[in-house]
Amino acid sequence: MEGVEIMVSEDLIREAVENYADDLYRVCLVMLKNTADAEDAVQDSFITYMQKAPRFNSSEHEKAWLIRVACNKCHDMIRYRDRHSTVSDELLESYFVEESDSAVIDALMEVPEKYRIVLSLHYIEGYKVDEIAEMIGRSPSAVKMCLSKGRKKLEEKYRKGYM
Amino acid sequence: MNDKDIRKAAEKIRLSDEKKQQIIDECVKNIDNTDLNGEQVSGVERVKSRPVMRFAAMAAACAVIIGGVGTTMHFMSRNGTAPAQSSEVETHVVMMPFGDFVDMYYWFIGGRSENPDDRLVVGEYLNTVEWRSTELADINTHADDIPEYIIDINEDDRHKLIMIYDDGVAACGELSPDFDFDPEVVFTQKVFEDAPVTYYKIHYPSFDEQMLAFEQERNIKIKNSNGTLVPVEDLEMLDVTNMQYELAMDQLMQSGFERVEYRNQQSDEIPEGYVISSDPKPGEVVPSDTNIMLYVSCGATDDIKVESYIGLTADDASAMAEYYGLKVRTLDNGGDDANRTVTAQSIEAGSVVPVGTEITLTVGMVNDLDLDFDLPDENVRFVNYKNTECPFILSKEQRDKLVSAIELGCYESVSSEDINGMVNNVSPEEQLGFGAYCLDWNDGNSWGDLTVFDNGIVSYDREIVGGEQKLEWYRIDASYIDTKIRSILGWSEGYCPFGTPYKTGLSYNGEALTGSKLREVSNAFFGWDWSKAEAVDSFLGETPTYKFTYGAADIGDVVINVYSDGTIEWSIPDSGVYRLTDADGDASNANIDLINQILDDILK
């Protein structure tokens, strides 16, 4: 049987990185709260893209697929971090909290993890409830609940810490 | 802070150009050099095979299969545009022969999933798998072997099975229309009988790895364990004690146990219809075909459990004790006729005694505190019970009885300094987490709250508009006041935060429920775990599966919406909207079971 002989173009990878890397990075940074991990997650997402991506119907479909992969990578990293942490909470806190130029983004990073992804997909990336539900594998009502509660938490954090 | 602020702030977050180039370089380096079967190919500059092209129409896919192995297609870029001349080469593309898994009804024989999203997520992955047509002479067809995975595609009641073996061979055939899905059947290719079987090959290691990842991440079963429809697996016995028995049986069946029975037993502690214990015990790991026995309460024996009557007026205490079957004798310990309370009882609270036993209640002076909490007569809300927000306006009678019970129950005052050590000046929201009961009011002249904490501390916080604030602390017997509150509010049979529907009446889709239907729906409500309910801004705005209303004279119409995914929301006039989902924001599976099995049975 013949094998497959292809050359995947560097142009294709470059195009995908130029189009989507910033969006992925924003989502990963809010989820992981530090640049090093966020960069790793973005890189892993593009490697997965090259290895496993299906044919896409549109650039929106392609972006949504990448963001979903990035969310999964972030979840895996957070779980790994939780299970293998051997440093003190204080040291972790100082390492992991990344100060941004924006108070609102800092407040977003302090919101509990389960709300952060929904908030960033909705408010930063502009996805609608049903789109977010499909991307993260939850029901639309769960997404609405997370948005509502997450928004309240975000406002509380913003007011307490930054006003 | 508004939505635009968030977006604007986020737009400043970008990866550096240098980092983007690093990612591109890393991607090029990391692309796999092996072919589909894991063999290194020498002499050819190769990278990972093309992703599969997806076709919505089966006809198109079949046409490519007819073309056979070696069909060549031009590579298209991911968004369907033509390739640039300089960097693309022609490639063999394996076509998806089964159609779009996302659009079809399929699952895995011997698998288990409770969430429709699982099918979508796994289906999206299956659409990316390369199914390569193969010649029989090149492969072991595994005619008598039990496959590792069996995908069952159900179209118009016809079942097409794809049996996948651990060397990547996939055998696809169709079952006869009258095939008997017997739990004892072992699924080898014998089930196809004389139907034609088509063979493919896939890259099994990556397929297996992904399937196992799905099993772990999504808590589902995909891999076939012994070739039967319902493989026996070891399961951990759930803790269903104190659970309504029908819900317990549903949860056990949902988690994979095949045989669940129950037997009635008397119990003074566990309400009728709730599970006392189980065999096997919670946490024990047993095969899924084990006979599970639940011991379900059928109510109390003829013995009585003695309550605490301390702090009650003599009349209240006597009435309660006699109601439960005790013979009451009172011992006068002096004091005025008015406002005398029970200060001692001859049988300790919690003791179990036969009906007709005599109890002596010592009646004496009221406590020295002589409290008189100044709450308005009307519009006093009961704000929360334990961790559940459930604000509703108390009737005059309920308000009077509750306030009196707290006043009489408090037996000493506590200084602010002592309180700081116990309550730590937490915010009202955090106080709710202490398992408090809270009454509050705001009538324009004064506002305040009277809160009882789980640890028996009472706070009375009141401010007269334009005047001073009064904050006082007292101690009360926590179990006494819990019993009193539940008794006054009529929650002795169970609890739901918007009242007792079977007492106030309940309408379903505008028609009043009566008799056993009313009772059963009320009992279903009591079975939900209300401790996880939270206040929300508004209803979901979707059409609920079940819509209930009821009117309590003092609070107006309560609307209760129940959705097919288990979400429950209700509104109480002037108090707000509340929603019950589980802690993660997804409707709990317990709610879905109740809706799908209990409410369906009761109402449809």
Side-chain angles (χ1 to χ4, degrees):
Chain A
M1 184 163 26
E2 284 185 272
V4 177
E5 300 181 29
I6 329 158
M7 182 75 71
V8 173
S9 69
E10 188 176 321
D11 287 348
L12 183 70
I13 303 168
R14 181 176 302 282
E15 187 189 343
V17 170
E18 291 298 341
N19 286 342
Y20 307 121
D22 288 334
D23 294 296
L24 259 61
Y25 181 61
R26 276 175 211 130
V27 169
C28 293
L29 184 63
V30 166
M31 289 292 290
L32 298 169
K33 305 202 279 189
N34 77 89
T35 51
D37 283 353
E39 286 166 1
D40 283 349
V42 170
Q43 181 168 290
D44 287 349
S45 303
F46 278 107
I47 290 173
T48 301
Y49 170 86
M50 294 317 300
Q51 290 172 341
K52 293 195 178 159
R55 181 184 169 118
F56 298 108
N57 300 328
S58 63
S59 57
E60 285 75 28
H61 182 200
E62 189 175 17
K63 179 180 167 185
W65 188 93
L66 268 166
I67 288 183
R68 186 199 288 216
V69 166
C71 289
N72 288 338
K73 300 278 177 205
C74 290
H75 280 308
D76 290 344
M77 287 169 85
I78 290 169
R79 276 201 296 269
Y80 183 85
R81 218 192 263 165
D82 288 346
R83 279 189 224 127
H84 295 89
S85 174
T86 53
V87 298
S88 70
D89 286 344
E90 268 175 23
L91 190 58
L92 264 179
E93 186 68 23
S94 65
Y95 175 62
F96 283 135
V97 175
E98 189 80 23
E99 295 283 325
S100 80
D101 291 333
S102 157
V104 72
I105 298 295
D106 288 341
L108 181 56
M109 288 196 207
E110 289 178 35
V111 164
E113 182 207 330
K114 61 186 173 186
Y115 304 126
R116 279 207 301 274
I117 182 59
V118 174
L119 289 174
S120 55
L121 288 178
H122 184 69
Y123 291 109
I124 297 178
E125 297 301 322
Y127 284 105
K128 291 186 245 171
V129 166
D130 54 346
E131 290 169 332
I132 296 171
E134 201 180 320
M135 285 164 78
I136 64 173
R138 307 281 287 279
S139 63
S141 56
V143 170
K144 282 184 204 173
M145 171 68 91
C146 278
L147 271 176
S148 159
K149 283 153 86 168
R151 182 63 204 239
K152 277 194 190 135
K153 292 277 177 195
L154 177 61
E155 282 180 12
E156 265 171 38
K157 298 279 179 196
Y158 183 70
R159 262 191 252 118
K160 264 190 197 162
Y162 304 99
M163 287 181 67
Chain B
M1 182 190 68
N2 60 42
D3 299 0
K4 284 192 190 134
D5 291 337
I6 303 176
R7 189 112 205 206
K8 221 165 126 190
E11 276 164 11
K12 295 180 196 167
I13 299 174
R14 291 178 179 281
L15 267 179
S16 65
D17 289 342
E18 186 192 332
K19 190 62 202 173
K20 285 179 185 171
Q21 186 57 50
Q22 274 180 27
I23 290 174
I24 293 166
D25 294 341
E26 206 54 43
C27 281
V28 172
K29 255 198 282 175
N30 270 275
I31 289 167
D32 191 0
N33 275 343
T34 57
D35 74 0
L36 255 177
N37 296 319
E39 296 168 9
Q40 284 292 107
V41 179
S42 61
V44 177
E45 195 172 26
R46 306 164 50 88
V47 291
K48 180 73 174 173
S49 55
R50 283 293 224 186
V52 173
M53 293 177 73
R54 245 197 292 187
F55 283 78
M58 282 285 278
C62 289
V64 176
I65 294 298
I66 288 165
V69 176
T71 300
T72 303
M73 297 206 47
H74 284 282
F75 164 62
M76 301 290 277
S77 75
R78 298 209 189 282
N79 292 331
T81 57
Q85 287 294 322
S86 56
S87 54
E88 313 300 355
V89 297
E90 289 190 357
T91 177
H92 298 283
V93 178
V94 177
M95 309 313 296
M96 175 53 194
F98 310 107
D100 190 339
F101 275 100
V102 171
D103 290 337
M104 64 175 75
Y105 190 80
Y106 81 94
W107 192 239
F108 292 80
I109 298 253
R112 175 178 47 79
S113 156
E114 284 134 27
N115 189 340
D117 287 347
D118 296 328
R119 190 172 290 117
L120 294 174
V121 169
V122 176
E124 288 219 344
Y125 168 72
L126 289 174
N127 283 346
T128 71
V129 172
E130 299 185 12
W131 306 84
R132 307 184 70 198
S133 235
T134 187
E135 300 292 340
L136 288 181
D138 293 335
I139 61 166
N140 171 6
T141 61
H142 297 279
D144 297 320
D145 295 336
I146 293 175
E148 299 293 318
Y149 295 90
I150 312 171
I151 304 175
D152 175 6
I153 301 172
N154 187 347
E155 278 174 348
D156 301 323
D157 278 339
R158 304 292 296 258
H159 291 264
K160 185 180 296 176
L161 301 190
I162 308 164
M163 298 188 178
I164 299 169
Y165 302 90
D166 61 8
D167 59 355
V169 168
C172 177
E174 195 167 314
L175 298 177
S176 73
D178 53 357
F179 180 82
D180 182 16
F181 279 87
D182 183 353
E184 306 291 332
V185 165
V186 177
F187 282 83
T188 65
Q189 288 176 51
K190 288 196 171 86
V191 299
F192 296 140
E193 294 174 1
D194 297 325
V197 179
T198 314
Y199 292 90
Y200 303 92
K201 259 206 114 174
I202 64 168
H203 187 251
Y204 183 79
S206 56
F207 179 89
D208 188 47
E209 185 187 356
Q210 181 61 68
M211 290 295 136
L212 292 176
F214 281 135
E215 283 192 336
Q216 272 192 320
E217 285 159 10
R218 304 186 73 85
N219 193 26
I220 54 177
K221 184 115 176 57
I222 296 179
K223 198 163 189 172
N224 180 36
S225 60
N226 63 358
T228 64
L229 269 178
V230 186
V232 173
E233 52 184 320
D234 283 344
L235 298 174
E236 187 177 316
M237 176 61 187
L238 305 178
D239 186 359
V240 294
T241 47
N242 289 312
M243 197 181 283
Q244 203 269 346
Y245 83 94
E246 282 168 309
L247 174 60
M249 292 175 79
D250 285 336
Q251 290 212 346
L252 287 165
M253 302 287 275
Q254 288 283 344
S255 65
F257 289 106
E258 294 159 44
R259 302 189 182 96
V260 184
E261 300 171 61
Y262 74 94
R263 199 167 285 164
N264 283 323
Q265 252 186 16
Q266 286 183 321
S267 172
D268 293 331
E269 321 249 321
I270 309 290
E272 186 181 351
Y274 285 70
V275 175
I276 303 167
S277 63
S278 64
D279 179 21
K281 300 217 177 327
E284 269 189 62
V285 177
V286 297
S288 57
D289 61 353
T290 301
N291 287 330
I292 307 292
M293 181 60 71
L294 302 179
Y295 295 95
V296 177
S297 171
C298 58
T301 62
D302 285 340
D303 288 342
I304 305 161
K305 188 173 174 194
V306 177
E307 308 259 339
S308 169
Y309 304 108
I310 308 295
L312 298 181
T313 64
D315 285 345
D316 276 352
S318 298
M320 195 184 292
E322 281 167 358
Y323 175 76
Y324 283 116
L326 291 171
K327 200 166 158 192
V328 177
R329 185 169 156 258
T330 53
L331 187 63
D332 191 340
N333 204 25
D336 292 333
D337 278 341
N339 296 327
R340 289 190 306 152
T341 62
V342 173
T343 53
Q345 55 191 76
S346 61
I347 304 174
E348 197 178 23
S351 308
V352 176
V353 299
V355 168
T357 301
E358 186 179 77
I359 185 170
T360 301
L361 302 177
T362 304
V363 182
M365 296 282 288
V366 297
N367 60 53
D368 292 340
L369 293 174
D370 195 17
L371 293 173
D372 181 19
F373 295 129
D374 187 14
L375 274 66
D377 287 338
E378 292 177 343
N379 295 317
V380 174
R381 295 190 316 163
F382 190 88
V383 176
N384 67 281
Y385 177 76
K386 303 286 185 176
N387 285 317
T388 304
E389 287 183 36
C390 57
F392 60 91
I393 306 286
L394 293 164
S395 69
K396 179 76 171 49
E397 186 187 356
Q398 288 171 330
R399 170 248 181 252
D400 289 346
K401 283 186 173 176
L402 280 177
V403 173
S404 176
I406 298 172
E407 284 168 346
L408 291 173
C410 290
Y411 58 85
E412 69 178 14
S413 65
V414 186
S415 71
S416 299
E417 290 76 20
D418 290 340
I419 286 298
N420 279 341
M422 282 186 264
V423 183
N424 290 325
N425 293 322
V426 292
S427 70
E429 283 168 330
E430 287 165 306
Q431 284 175 9
L432 296 179
F434 281 83
Y437 323 114
C438 180
L439 281 65
D440 74 5
W441 64 93
N442 185 347
D443 64 358
N445 294 321
S446 72
W447 61 262
D449 64 77
L450 178 60
T451 302
V452 179
F453 293 82
D454 261 352
N455 61 0
I457 293 296
V458 174
S459 72
Y460 172 51
D461 186 6
R462 182 175 76 101
E463 183 174 316
I464 310 264
V465 173
E468 61 176 271
Q469 186 186 4
K470 200 173 176 183
L471 175 57
E472 297 162 10
W473 302 93
Y474 302 95
R475 279 191 208 277
I476 199 167
D477 183 287
S479 66
Y480 150 78
I481 196 62
D482 181 71
T483 306
K484 281 300 287 187
I485 286 174
R486 290 168 67 83
S487 169
I488 290 165
L489 296 177
W491 290 347
S492 52
E493 289 173 278
Y495 167 68
C496 76
F498 39 81
T500 48
Y502 79 90
K503 285 186 180 172
T504 49
L506 195 67
S507 292
Y508 169 59
N509 286 344
E511 285 192 25
L513 291 174
T514 57
S516 61
K517 273 196 183 175
L518 173 61
R519 181 103 193 167
E520 284 167 40
V521 171
S522 292
N523 284 341
F525 284 167
F526 290 146
W528 274 293
D529 181 0
W530 297 104
S531 65
K532 293 170 180 167
E534 286 171 298
V536 294
D537 287 335
S538 61
F539 279 157
L540 286 169
E542 297 162 9
T543 305
T545 308
Y546 298 96
K547 192 178 179 76
F548 301 95
T549 51
Y550 80 97
D554 50 354
I555 64 173
D557 276 351
V558 174
V559 175
I560 306 157
N561 290 335
V562 180
Y563 294 88
S564 60
D565 69 350
T567 302
I568 306 160
E569 56 184 12
W570 65 97
S571 72
I572 299 177
D574 298 327
S575 291
V577 181
Y578 300 87
R579 191 170 300 135
L580 176 64
T581 57
D582 70 17
D584 291 329
D586 281 327
S588 78
N589 289 329
N591 294 351
I592 296 173
D593 292 338
L594 279 166
I595 290 160
N596 291 338
Q597 272 130 44
I598 297 177
L599 286 183
D600 269 354
D601 287 341
I602 296 168
L603 296 171
K604 290 197 174 169

